[in-house]
Amino acid sequence: MKKIYLIGFMGSGKSTIGSELSKKDSLTFVDTDQFIEEKYKTRIARIFEEDGEETFRNYEVETLKDLIDFDVIATGGGIIERKENKVTMEKNGVIIYLHTSFKEIDSRLKNDVDRPLWNNDMDNKMALYKRRIPLYKDFADHVIQTDDKTVEEIVREIEEYTKSV
Ligand code: S3P
């Protein structure tokens, strides 16, 4: 079976949607951030702090290649920072971009302190979001707008898309 990769900015719901989709359709699910934290036995924030973002990006590249046992994969928001990740995902499955507006993300992550790249001033967060939108679109086989939709609706859209390819 082709894997289903979920990509999108922090707070776009990749983990929630991926988990629901996998439960509904009896598929195996993994979240790359969680996988990295378990593999390296440390928190993502700590990797950024102690080893830097580049090290974390290297871990992501390797992890993505390692996930042979999983059907649904929720990726970290920065998976599009390395072009080689597109090659890995294209080879193994379909890439679905969950597009969420900045306004919605900002309201969801208002009190979040765990994400190093969200722990920043508004201008920087907005600039990161704007820079990444074309990258997500370039990686994606399919885009789903998530604003004002329920988890169930988004899951259904993914099912419909994956049935059609
Ligand atoms: C990151 C997103 C995070 C996590 C790390 C870096 C990013 O994952 O991988 O903090 O660069 O956007 P989520 O998208 O699951 O928050």
Side-chain angles (χ1 to χ4, degrees), residues 6 24 35 78 115 143:
L6 301 178
K24 191 173 165 204
F35 191 91
R115 294 171 168 91
V143 182

Side-chain angles (χ1 to χ4, degrees), residues 54-160:
E54 279 310 293
T55 299
F56 176 69
R57 298 297 169 211
N58 293 337
Y59 290 169
E60 274 187 320
V61 169
E62 287 314 310
T63 297
L64 208 54
K65 290 183 190 153
D66 281 349
L67 302 176
I68 35 180
D69 293 337
F70 301 95
D71 305 313
V72 181
I73 296 156
T75 62
I79 209 78
I80 40 67
E81 297 290 356
R82 293 281 185 87
K83 198 82 189 167
E84 61 207 292
N85 291 333
K86 186 180 180 191
V87 178
T88 304
M89 294 192 281
E90 270 176 353
K91 201 166 73 188
N92 297 306
V94 292
I95 308 172
I96 296 178
Y97 167 35
L98 301 182
H99 176 82
T100 308
S101 67
F102 187 81
K103 193 166 163 247
E104 177 67 28
I105 284 169
D106 190 44
S107 89
R108 286 186 197 169
L109 298 184
K110 230 169 196 53
N111 302 316
D112 186 276
V113 287
D114 283 341
R115 294 171 168 91
L117 297 181
W118 190 254
N119 240 330
N120 215 326
D121 62 50
M122 199 44 105
D123 284 354
N124 277 310
K125 291 192 282 196
M126 180 75 93
L128 182 69
Y129 178 85
K130 283 194 175 150
R131 180 175 68 75
R132 282 181 173 180
I133 297 292
L135 295 173
Y136 293 123
K137 288 187 176 157
D138 171 63
F139 269 55
D141 293 309
H142 185 65
V143 182
I144 295 181
Q145 310 287 336
T146 70
D147 284 22
D148 304 320
K149 286 183 189 156
T150 63
V151 171
E152 292 71 29
E153 283 171 323
I154 298 166
V155 165
R156 220 172 304 127
E157 277 190 45
I158 296 175
E159 289 171 336
E160 275 160 25

Side-chain angles (χ1 to χ4, degrees), residues 41-62:
K41 297 185 176 47
T42 183
R43 309 279 304 159
I44 304 279
R46 192 134 176 239
I47 302 174
F48 269 73
E49 224 173 83
E50 294 182 355
D51 308 307
E53 181 173 349
E54 279 310 293
T55 299
F56 176 69
R57 298 297 169 211
N58 293 337
Y59 290 169
E60 274 187 320
V61 169
E62 287 314 310

